[in-house]
Amino acid sequence: MKKMMVLVALVCMLAVFCLPVMATSYTVSGTDMTIELDNSAWYVFTRDNLEDNPEVAEIGADAEAMSALLQSQNIYLDAISKTNYMSVELTVFKNRNEFSKEAGNLSERPRSEVDKLVQNSQNGSAERSFSVYENTYTFVEETGIDKGFYYCKFLTVVNQEEYILQFISGQPIDQTYARQIVDTVRFDVDTSLNPQRASFFDSVAGRTVIGGVIGACAVGVTALIAKKNKKKKAAEPAQPGE
């Protein structure tokens, strides 16, 4: 009887651990990217889901201000952790520049070129660490601390456009968890856009681009909320004894 109870308990435990994560697949408008995020763990905002979205008010933000921020900062998705409220923020940036036009599709470039790019980016960057992260695609991964915030970023180029997934937090970031989210990303890749010039990463632009492109942590929605709360607090009348 006791052995049977132990067996039942083990089966129940396995059932719990094997339950699928209730992730929602987001086709991010204005991009060639989809990503899966668990709605029970993340507030997820895109350029086209802000209007009349109750979660915007729930986090103390303003839809109009958020829309302006996403447009001005080339942000196409911003997700805020619901666990330990606003402890981690994931921001997806997309941009087209000289690097992305020349690189074409980073995942189609020889690994030796990407390794060289990472090596050149690491030179002189003691507080920032660069590496190559590969799943279905090839990313340049950067970790470090900037202005008191820990960050982990993943950069790739798809269809001559640069994508950066930036995780930022006031606490050290679980790199394994960040990579698990990056592993859900899918791109609609047009391989005809690969450039013919194989020597791009030997050029001055190719050697220096990562340091300039990823650079410092960019502004996200949590910074907008913090700024709003700071202004609100400053406008409140001082209490006796303060």
Side-chain angles (χ1 to χ4, degrees), residues 129-141:
S129 177
F130 296 88
S131 61
V132 178
Y133 179 64
E134 289 184 309
N135 45 34
T136 305
Y137 311 98
T138 300
F139 294 88
V140 174
E141 182 177 7

Side-chain angles (χ1 to χ4, degrees), residues 180-204:
Q180 287 174 348
I181 292 177
V182 174
D183 287 345
T184 72
V185 170
R186 294 293 178 268
F187 292 104
D188 183 9
V189 180
D190 182 354
T191 56
S192 70
L193 295 175
N194 290 334
Q196 298 301 312
R197 183 157 64 99
S199 61
F200 170 70
F201 293 112
D202 289 323
S203 68
V204 173

Side-chain angles (χ1 to χ4, degrees), residues 86-89 145 147-151 168-173:
M86 292 173 60
S87 60
V88 182
E89 181 174 19
I145 304 175
K147 299 175 183 175
F149 289 96
Y150 295 85
Y151 67 84
I168 187 170
S169 176
Q171 303 294 325
I173 293 172

Side-chain angles (χ1 to χ4, degrees), residues 50-201:
L50 298 176
E51 188 175 355
D52 300 323
N53 186 339
E55 290 192 334
V56 172
E58 190 174 328
I59 65 170
D62 175 80
E64 186 175 344
M66 283 178 64
S67 179
L69 176 71
L70 268 58
Q71 295 288 338
S72 66
Q73 297 293 324
N74 296 320
I75 298 171
Y76 286 79
L77 180 144
D78 196 278
I80 301 171
S81 172
K82 291 182 178 180
T83 308
N84 297 324
Y85 181 56
M86 292 173 60
S87 60
V88 182
E89 181 174 19
L90 163 61
T91 307
V92 176
F93 303 87
K94 190 199 79 167
N95 189 34
R96 183 185 290 265
N97 51 36
E98 191 63 28
F99 165 60
S100 65
K101 287 187 288 185
E102 291 283 0
N105 289 296
L106 195 63
S107 300
E108 302 295 326
R109 308 294 295 197
R111 173 62 188 262
S112 59
E113 290 187 4
V114 184
D115 286 338
K116 184 184 296 184
L117 180 63
V118 167
Q119 182 180 356
N120 289 330
S121 300
Q122 185 61 63
N123 292 338
S125 303
E127 296 181 357
R128 301 156 63 191
S129 177
F130 296 88
S131 61
V132 178
Y133 179 64
E134 289 184 309
N135 45 34
T136 305
Y137 311 98
T138 300
F139 294 88
V140 174
E141 182 177 7
E142 179 193 351
T143 58
I145 304 175
D146 184 51
K147 299 175 183 175
F149 289 96
Y150 295 85
Y151 67 84
C152 183
K153 303 180 188 180
F154 299 82
L155 176 145
T156 193
V157 178
V158 177
N159 301 338
Q160 297 184 328
E161 293 180 314
E162 168 193 282
Y163 288 84
I164 299 175
L165 287 83
Q166 171 186 277
F167 295 83
I168 187 170
S169 176
Q171 303 294 325
I173 293 172
D174 185 338
Q175 198 169 359
T176 300
Y177 180 56
R179 288 178 173 183
Q180 287 174 348
I181 292 177
V182 174
D183 287 345
T184 72
V185 170
R186 294 293 178 268
F187 292 104
D188 183 9
V189 180
D190 182 354
T191 56
S192 70
L193 295 175
N194 290 334
Q196 298 301 312
R197 183 157 64 99
S199 61
F200 170 70
F201 293 112

Side-chain angles (χ1 to χ4, degrees), residues 10-52:
L10 286 172
V11 170
C12 291
M13 287 176 65
L14 286 172
V16 169
F17 283 115
C18 291
L19 286 174
V21 175
M22 299 303 291
T24 298
S25 181
Y26 290 88
T27 300
V28 186
S29 61
T31 77
D32 294 315
M33 169 184 159
T34 63
I35 186 172
E36 294 182 7
L37 291 167
D38 181 3
N39 279 334
S40 68
W42 295 90
Y43 295 102
V44 182
F45 303 105
T46 63
R47 293 184 173 194
D48 55 1
N49 77 349
L50 298 176
E51 188 175 355
D52 300 323

